[in-house]
Amino acid sequence: MAEAHQAVAFQFTVTPDGIDLQLSHQALTEIYLSGMRSWKKRIVRVKNSVITGVYPASPSSWLFVVIAILATMYTRSDPSMGLIAKIQEHLPVSQSMSTQCQAVVSAVLFSTMLWLMLIFTMRLCLKQLLSYHRWMFEQHGKMSTTTKIWVALVRIFSGRKPLLYSYQGSLPNLPVPTIKDTVKRYLESVRPLMDDKEYERMTKLAAEFESSLGNRLQWYLKLKALWASNYVSDWWEEYVYLRGRGPIMVNSNYYGMDFLYVTPTPIQAARAGNSIHSFFLYRRKLNKEELKPSRIPGTVIPLFPCCSYQFERMFDTCRIPGILTDTVQHWQDSDYIVVYHKGRYFRLRVYQAGRLLSPREIEFQIQRILDDPSPPSKGEAKLGALTAGDRIPWAKARTKYFSSGVNKRSLDCIEKAAFFVTLDDEEQGMMGDDPAASLDRYAKSLLHGKCYDRWFDKSFTVVYYKNGKNGINAEHSWADAPVLAHVWEYTLANDSFQLGYNAEGHCKGDVDPSLPRPVKLSWEIPPECEEQIAQSLAVAQALADDVDFHVFSFQEFGKGKVKKCRVSPDGFIQMALQLAYFRERGTFCLTYEASMTRLFREGRTETVRSCTNESSAFIRALEDVCKCLFRVASEKHQLLYRLAMTGAGIDRHLFCLYVVSKYLGVESPFLKEVLSEPWRLSTSQTPIQQVELFDIENHPEYVSCGGGFGPVADDGYGVSYCVLGENMINFHISCKHSCPDTDAHKFGTQIRQALRDLLKLLSPNQTEPSKTEESQPKVKKEQ
């Protein structure tokens, strides 16, 4: 085979005249170019490390300081106040160095120390400035004088053109709230969920905890906060994600959808070609730190940076199963992906002679896989089910059957790949006579597929459907949804608006037909392993069949009308969810809304407890004086959201206190009860971060439907929503068929009605469609 020959740098044969070496110039060229690519990446990393290390100054500023000090010396003044002379006295020099040269060296050393001190001072000042969060609590559109001065100082100390990780050393550490504040806010959050007797009992438990064990646990947390960059994140990753022994499919992994109304090309291989090429372009930007530092979307302070550390493990990362706990393993840049198609696994190299393959070449390689008639080897077809079932059986099987030989080589290939790709043989998307039902099927397919045709342990799996639609499934432990959404937004935009397709729907460009074919991975699966695969598949299939999903796009109005009512769109939606749940169940429930804490170093998420005394009072009084109560409830929700973002949430603090109590071997009835409360309504908003990539006003058809996740509680709902443009809100609702009290479609109906009722309550004169909506171009649904 041609590719096998090219893989060998030289051959030799023994003849009567001696040894005849036959060098392969093409292979040697490959080795040379690959090595050059590796060295270039190393040089870029070193260069970026230097730039990031001296931020907010720049390396060139060192030269400026040195020249300035030397210039003052030549004017016979001493800016060092005698320090340069002291350095010169203790400078180890050779006999050949002149006095003048010694003075110059001493001045350069002093300048370098002065420069480093200035960097340290600037970074410390910037860190203190970034610890200011009062701007988040100011009324929208009104900025205090203090905040204006703060904005000016941040601009001064932020330097110019920061790299992706430039702010990491200047971000403040997550503060540890006081026990008193956390307990007070917790009791306030559960008041609407308890009757007087239950609340009195919980108040006594909380008071006992606060006055005794709580202070002891708090001391350990403060000690950790002084030592670690973030007192929550490592424990959160380990105990919430990696130590879970149940399936991560549905329970942990989440998904993202393609454009809602259009498919750029109906050709599966072409869509994969453009998209995969875009992913690697993004990785190149990520490695060079050319991406702009993350910012808080939709705020009045666009310059406020967020922590970017989660981006580091986006590619070349895999979750590795273990008996007690899993681990997240990250490798250096892989030059290939692994592709699954009809039960076979293929290794596809995306670099040739150190060059990234063009979209047309990747399409050509993908089409080769689609046309490959070879059957899967014994036990290979449903191998991925091991990643979908319980973790302990997978860990044992991995040790027993995949720790040596051909199985280890093939498994290593999957785990070390840049990411995983599935070529699905189904058609998905909004299509047919029942677009609503097709969206539900699309969501379920992305969340769990057939339970064996995704590799759920990979940082993310990209799915390409037969009709050109695509989507993404992500493992949750390495990062949160906004981080993955960032690369997904870039890929969708670059695929459609930058790369594009020719008239036939194929990727643009030419193909080198001599490209080595993708290599089919080999497996030797024994019958005992096949039995374990079948058991894992049965567990996963039961879980997948139990998921009830409903996805819908609400387009009667959006954030445009909500803002005219002078309320927060997120607060509006959260109140609608509370109203919908109360109308369906006749009661209130503990509600989880994810809020980021990336204003702090290595921050991830915090919980906003959306069910409050104010929201429950509003809903109970809906037919009376509820308009005033709604504003009070919405403002309370926004306050809780801001408190969560600025490190004053309660749930991560309580979680860490519980972890410390376990380490100390002490029991707390209060913490045990708090951590066992089910989140029957788990919600999350995923905003568009790179709005400049999409023109939603002129091209409303090019909008993603967002993404979703499985239900957190067996008798509850998982709700994800995405606010798009001024006139659209997409919802993803999940629950379980096995619970007789939940129904995703009925809950969706309640949400629609709640949204209408709230708008009518706040703005009774705006119930008719606005002129903007009437003039908005209609979008055809795909057939």
Side-chain angles (χ1 to χ4, degrees), residues 598-625:
R598 290 169 60 203
L599 299 180
F600 304 95
R601 190 168 183 177
E602 297 184 15
R604 291 198 61 160
T605 60
E606 176 57 277
T607 305
V608 180
R609 294 184 169 222
S610 304
C611 182
T612 61
N613 290 322
E614 290 80 1
S615 67
S616 59
F618 153 66
I619 290 168
R620 291 186 188 279
L622 186 59
E623 303 302 326
D624 300 322
V625 289

mmCIF file of all heavy atoms in Angstrom, residues 598-625:
data_model
loop_
_atom_site.group_PDB
_atom_site.id
_atom_site.type_symbol
_atom_site.label_atom_id
_atom_site.label_comp_id
_atom_site.label_asym_id
_atom_site.label_seq_id
_atom_site.Cartn_x
_atom_site.Cartn_y
_atom_site.Cartn_z
ATOM 1 N N ARG A 598 -16.484 33.384 36.479
ATOM 2 C CA ARG A 598 -15.224 33.538 35.767
ATOM 3 C C ARG A 598 -14.641 34.944 35.877
ATOM 4 O O ARG A 598 -13.643 35.259 35.237
ATOM 5 C CB ARG A 598 -15.399 33.133 34.300
ATOM 6 C CG ARG A 598 -15.605 31.628 34.118
ATOM 7 C CD ARG A 598 -16.044 31.270 32.720
ATOM 8 N NE ARG A 598 -15.070 31.692 31.733
ATOM 9 C CZ ARG A 598 -15.366 31.901 30.456
ATOM 10 N NH1 ARG A 598 -16.607 31.743 30.029
ATOM 11 N NH2 ARG A 598 -14.431 32.271 29.605
ATOM 12 N N LEU A 599 -15.267 35.794 36.710
ATOM 13 C CA LEU A 599 -14.633 37.062 37.047
ATOM 14 C C LEU A 599 -13.436 36.810 37.958
ATOM 15 O O LEU A 599 -12.610 37.701 38.163
ATOM 16 C CB LEU A 599 -15.622 37.978 37.769
ATOM 17 C CG LEU A 599 -16.881 38.386 36.993
ATOM 18 C CD1 LEU A 599 -17.740 39.288 37.856
ATOM 19 C CD2 LEU A 599 -16.526 39.082 35.699
ATOM 20 N N PHE A 600 -13.357 35.595 38.494
ATOM 21 C CA PHE A 600 -12.278 35.209 39.391
ATOM 22 C C PHE A 600 -11.411 34.139 38.734
ATOM 23 O O PHE A 600 -11.864 33.408 37.846
ATOM 24 C CB PHE A 600 -12.858 34.681 40.710
ATOM 25 C CG PHE A 600 -13.769 35.656 41.394
ATOM 26 C CD1 PHE A 600 -15.146 35.598 41.202
ATOM 27 C CD2 PHE A 600 -13.257 36.646 42.208
ATOM 28 C CE1 PHE A 600 -15.989 36.505 41.817
ATOM 29 C CE2 PHE A 600 -14.091 37.554 42.833
ATOM 30 C CZ PHE A 600 -15.456 37.488 42.632
ATOM 31 N N ARG A 601 -10.189 34.030 39.190
ATOM 32 C CA ARG A 601 -9.244 33.090 38.599
ATOM 33 C C ARG A 601 -9.731 31.653 38.784
ATOM 34 O O ARG A 601 -10.102 31.252 39.882
ATOM 35 C CB ARG A 601 -7.869 33.270 39.234
ATOM 36 C CG ARG A 601 -6.780 32.500 38.522
ATOM 37 C CD ARG A 601 -5.414 32.913 38.987
ATOM 38 N NE ARG A 601 -4.377 32.223 38.251
ATOM 39 C CZ ARG A 601 -3.084 32.435 38.419
ATOM 40 N NH1 ARG A 601 -2.669 33.334 39.298
ATOM 41 N NH2 ARG A 601 -2.193 31.771 37.703
ATOM 42 N N GLU A 602 -9.744 30.902 37.685
ATOM 43 C CA GLU A 602 -10.178 29.510 37.642
ATOM 44 C C GLU A 602 -11.615 29.331 38.102
ATOM 45 O O GLU A 602 -12.016 28.266 38.565
ATOM 46 C CB GLU A 602 -9.242 28.614 38.467
ATOM 47 C CG GLU A 602 -7.818 28.583 37.927
ATOM 48 C CD GLU A 602 -6.912 27.624 38.682
ATOM 49 O OE1 GLU A 602 -7.438 26.780 39.439
ATOM 50 O OE2 GLU A 602 -5.689 27.740 38.528
ATOM 51 N N GLY A 603 -12.420 30.394 37.965
ATOM 52 C CA GLY A 603 -13.826 30.300 38.341
ATOM 53 C C GLY A 603 -14.623 29.488 37.336
ATOM 54 O O GLY A 603 -14.321 29.469 36.146
ATOM 55 N N ARG A 604 -15.660 28.820 37.818
ATOM 56 C CA ARG A 604 -16.539 28.054 36.942
ATOM 57 C C ARG A 604 -17.978 28.551 37.087
ATOM 58 O O ARG A 604 -18.376 29.477 36.404
ATOM 59 C CB ARG A 604 -16.420 26.554 37.237
ATOM 60 C CG ARG A 604 -15.048 25.999 36.822
ATOM 61 C CD ARG A 604 -15.012 24.495 36.680
ATOM 62 N NE ARG A 604 -15.926 23.993 35.674
ATOM 63 C CZ ARG A 604 -15.806 22.792 35.097
ATOM 64 N NH1 ARG A 604 -14.802 21.991 35.418
ATOM 65 N NH2 ARG A 604 -16.676 22.378 34.197
ATOM 66 N N THR A 605 -18.759 27.945 37.988
ATOM 67 C CA THR A 605 -20.161 28.339 38.092
ATOM 68 C C THR A 605 -20.575 28.495 39.547
ATOM 69 O O THR A 605 -19.905 28.027 40.457
ATOM 70 C CB THR A 605 -21.082 27.291 37.435
ATOM 71 O OG1 THR A 605 -20.903 26.029 38.098
ATOM 72 C CG2 THR A 605 -20.800 27.157 35.958
ATOM 73 N N GLU A 606 -21.705 29.160 39.721
ATOM 74 C CA GLU A 606 -22.382 29.257 41.008
ATOM 75 C C GLU A 606 -23.873 29.121 40.735
ATOM 76 O O GLU A 606 -24.324 29.263 39.591
ATOM 77 C CB GLU A 606 -22.051 30.594 41.684
ATOM 78 C CG GLU A 606 -22.759 30.882 43.003
ATOM 79 C CD GLU A 606 -22.523 29.831 44.073
ATOM 80 O OE1 GLU A 606 -23.245 28.803 44.026
ATOM 81 O OE2 GLU A 606 -21.659 30.019 44.941
ATOM 82 N N THR A 607 -24.634 28.823 41.758
ATOM 83 C CA THR A 607 -26.070 28.626 41.621
ATOM 84 C C THR A 607 -26.832 29.889 41.983
ATOM 85 O O THR A 607 -26.559 30.510 43.017
ATOM 86 C CB THR A 607 -26.542 27.475 42.530
ATOM 87 O OG1 THR A 607 -25.793 26.305 42.233
ATOM 88 C CG2 THR A 607 -28.018 27.202 42.323
ATOM 89 N N VAL A 608 -27.777 30.252 41.130
ATOM 90 C CA VAL A 608 -28.746 31.287 41.465
ATOM 91 C C VAL A 608 -30.039 30.561 41.830
ATOM 92 O O VAL A 608 -30.611 29.849 41.005
ATOM 93 C CB VAL A 608 -28.998 32.238 40.282
ATOM 94 C CG1 VAL A 608 -30.014 33.305 40.659
ATOM 95 C CG2 VAL A 608 -27.699 32.881 39.827
ATOM 96 N N ARG A 609 -30.477 30.717 43.056
ATOM 97 C CA ARG A 609 -31.710 30.063 43.511
ATOM 98 C C ARG A 609 -32.888 30.949 43.120
ATOM 99 O O ARG A 609 -33.263 31.873 43.840
ATOM 100 C CB ARG A 609 -31.655 29.813 45.014
ATOM 101 C CG ARG A 609 -30.571 28.809 45.402
ATOM 102 C CD ARG A 609 -30.598 28.488 46.874
ATOM 103 N NE ARG A 609 -29.733 27.335 47.154
ATOM 104 C CZ ARG A 609 -30.055 26.348 47.977
ATOM 105 N NH1 ARG A 609 -31.210 26.367 48.623
ATOM 106 N NH2 ARG A 609 -29.219 25.346 48.172
ATOM 107 N N SER A 610 -33.478 30.651 41.970
ATOM 108 C CA SER A 610 -34.457 31.550 41.346
ATOM 109 C C SER A 610 -35.807 31.567 42.049
ATOM 110 O O SER A 610 -36.581 32.510 41.867
ATOM 111 C CB SER A 610 -34.649 31.168 39.877
ATOM 112 O OG SER A 610 -33.415 31.191 39.202
ATOM 113 N N CYS A 611 -36.106 30.520 42.811
ATOM 114 C CA CYS A 611 -37.365 30.507 43.558
ATOM 115 C C CYS A 611 -37.147 31.264 44.866
ATOM 116 O O CYS A 611 -36.432 30.799 45.757
ATOM 117 C CB CYS A 611 -37.807 29.071 43.840
ATOM 118 S SG CYS A 611 -39.385 28.982 44.722
ATOM 119 N N THR A 612 -37.729 32.447 44.972
ATOM 120 C CA THR A 612 -37.511 33.316 46.125
ATOM 121 C C THR A 612 -38.845 33.662 46.783
ATOM 122 O O THR A 612 -39.931 33.385 46.235
ATOM 123 C CB THR A 612 -36.817 34.617 45.690
ATOM 124 O OG1 THR A 612 -37.672 35.306 44.758
ATOM 125 C CG2 THR A 612 -35.474 34.325 45.027
ATOM 126 N N ASN A 613 -38.766 34.292 47.950
ATOM 127 C CA ASN A 613 -39.984 34.784 48.603
ATOM 128 C C ASN A 613 -40.716 35.756 47.692
ATOM 129 O O ASN A 613 -41.949 35.746 47.597
ATOM 130 C CB ASN A 613 -39.622 35.492 49.917
ATOM 131 C CG ASN A 613 -39.143 34.531 50.978
ATOM 132 O OD1 ASN A 613 -39.661 33.418 51.105
ATOM 133 N ND2 ASN A 613 -38.148 34.945 51.755
ATOM 134 N N GLU A 614 -39.929 36.596 46.994
ATOM 135 C CA GLU A 614 -40.531 37.608 46.122
ATOM 136 C C GLU A 614 -41.221 36.971 44.914
ATOM 137 O O GLU A 614 -42.324 37.386 44.534
ATOM 138 C CB GLU A 614 -39.452 38.593 45.662
ATOM 139 C CG GLU A 614 -38.915 39.501 46.752
ATOM 140 C CD GLU A 614 -37.876 38.815 47.649
ATOM 141 O OE1 GLU A 614 -37.550 37.627 47.409
ATOM 142 O OE2 GLU A 614 -37.397 39.469 48.590
ATOM 143 N N SER A 615 -40.577 35.966 44.296
ATOM 144 C CA SER A 615 -41.189 35.327 43.121
ATOM 145 C C SER A 615 -42.444 34.549 43.501
ATOM 146 O O SER A 615 -43.442 34.566 42.777
ATOM 147 C CB SER A 615 -40.168 34.416 42.431
ATOM 148 O OG SER A 615 -39.841 33.312 43.244
ATOM 149 N N SER A 616 -42.392 33.853 44.631
ATOM 150 C CA SER A 616 -43.575 33.082 45.059
ATOM 151 C C SER A 616 -44.722 34.023 45.447
ATOM 152 O O SER A 616 -45.897 33.733 45.156
ATOM 153 C CB SER A 616 -43.218 32.161 46.224
ATOM 154 O OG SER A 616 -42.726 32.900 47.329
ATOM 155 N N ALA A 617 -44.385 35.164 46.069
ATOM 156 C CA ALA A 617 -45.431 36.131 46.420
ATOM 157 C C ALA A 617 -46.078 36.700 45.163
ATOM 158 O O ALA A 617 -47.306 36.875 45.092
ATOM 159 C CB ALA A 617 -44.834 37.257 47.262
ATOM 160 N N PHE A 618 -45.268 36.971 44.147
ATOM 161 C CA PHE A 618 -45.804 37.486 42.882
ATOM 162 C C PHE A 618 -46.750 36.479 42.241
ATOM 163 O O PHE A 618 -47.853 36.820 41.806
ATOM 164 C CB PHE A 618 -44.656 37.830 41.934
ATOM 165 C CG PHE A 618 -45.028 37.744 40.487
ATOM 166 C CD1 PHE A 618 -45.950 38.627 39.935
ATOM 167 C CD2 PHE A 618 -44.484 36.751 39.677
ATOM 168 C CE1 PHE A 618 -46.315 38.525 38.596
ATOM 169 C CE2 PHE A 618 -44.840 36.648 38.350
ATOM 170 C CZ PHE A 618 -45.761 37.540 37.802
ATOM 171 N N ILE A 619 -46.325 35.239 42.184
ATOM 172 C CA ILE A 619 -47.130 34.224 41.489
ATOM 173 C C ILE A 619 -48.443 33.982 42.225
ATOM 174 O O ILE A 619 -49.500 33.825 41.598
ATOM 175 C CB ILE A 619 -46.311 32.935 41.336
ATOM 176 C CG1 ILE A 619 -45.196 33.174 40.312
ATOM 177 C CG2 ILE A 619 -47.188 31.765 40.901
ATOM 178 C CD1 ILE A 619 -44.156 32.098 40.262
ATOM 179 N N ARG A 620 -48.401 33.974 43.559
ATOM 180 C CA ARG A 620 -49.635 33.754 44.323
ATOM 181 C C ARG A 620 -50.602 34.932 44.158
ATOM 182 O O ARG A 620 -51.823 34.771 44.253
ATOM 183 C CB ARG A 620 -49.309 33.561 45.794
ATOM 184 C CG ARG A 620 -48.582 32.249 46.094
ATOM 185 C CD ARG A 620 -48.427 32.060 47.600
ATOM 186 N NE ARG A 620 -47.577 30.935 47.932
ATOM 187 C CZ ARG A 620 -47.961 29.658 47.944
ATOM 188 N NH1 ARG A 620 -49.221 29.365 47.637
ATOM 189 N NH2 ARG A 620 -47.114 28.697 48.259
ATOM 190 N N ALA A 621 -50.075 36.108 43.890
ATOM 191 C CA ALA A 621 -50.922 37.302 43.786
ATOM 192 C C ALA A 621 -51.106 37.749 42.345
ATOM 193 O O ALA A 621 -51.351 38.921 42.079
ATOM 194 C CB ALA A 621 -50.309 38.430 44.611
ATOM 195 N N LEU A 622 -50.965 36.812 41.423
ATOM 196 C CA LEU A 622 -50.954 37.173 40.006
ATOM 197 C C LEU A 622 -52.195 37.943 39.572
ATOM 198 O O LEU A 622 -52.123 38.823 38.721
ATOM 199 C CB LEU A 622 -50.807 35.911 39.142
ATOM 200 C CG LEU A 622 -50.638 36.141 37.644
ATOM 201 C CD1 LEU A 622 -49.404 36.978 37.379
ATOM 202 C CD2 LEU A 622 -50.544 34.817 36.910
ATOM 203 N N GLU A 623 -53.336 37.645 40.142
ATOM 204 C CA GLU A 623 -54.568 38.282 39.716
ATOM 205 C C GLU A 623 -54.845 39.595 40.459
ATOM 206 O O GLU A 623 -55.839 40.258 40.178
ATOM 207 C CB GLU A 623 -55.750 37.325 39.925
ATOM 208 C CG GLU A 623 -55.622 35.988 39.209
ATOM 209 C CD GLU A 623 -55.445 36.153 37.716
ATOM 210 O OE1 GLU A 623 -56.028 37.112 37.147
ATOM 211 O OE2 GLU A 623 -54.738 35.338 37.113
ATOM 212 N N ASP A 624 -53.951 39.948 41.421
ATOM 213 C CA ASP A 624 -54.212 41.146 42.230
ATOM 214 C C ASP A 624 -53.228 42.265 41.868
ATOM 215 O O ASP A 624 -53.222 42.756 40.759
ATOM 216 C CB ASP A 624 -54.140 40.799 43.718
ATOM 217 C CG ASP A 624 -55.164 39.731 44.082
ATOM 218 O OD1 ASP A 624 -56.280 39.790 43.532
ATOM 219 O OD2 ASP A 624 -54.845 38.834 44.884
ATOM 220 N N VAL A 625 -52.386 42.625 42.819
ATOM 221 C CA VAL A 625 -51.451 43.738 42.610
ATOM 222 C C VAL A 625 -50.105 43.206 42.150
ATOM 223 O O VAL A 625 -49.055 43.610 42.618
ATOM 224 C CB VAL A 625 -51.284 44.550 43.909
ATOM 225 C CG1 VAL A 625 -52.539 45.334 44.211
ATOM 226 C CG2 VAL A 625 -50.938 43.629 45.081
#
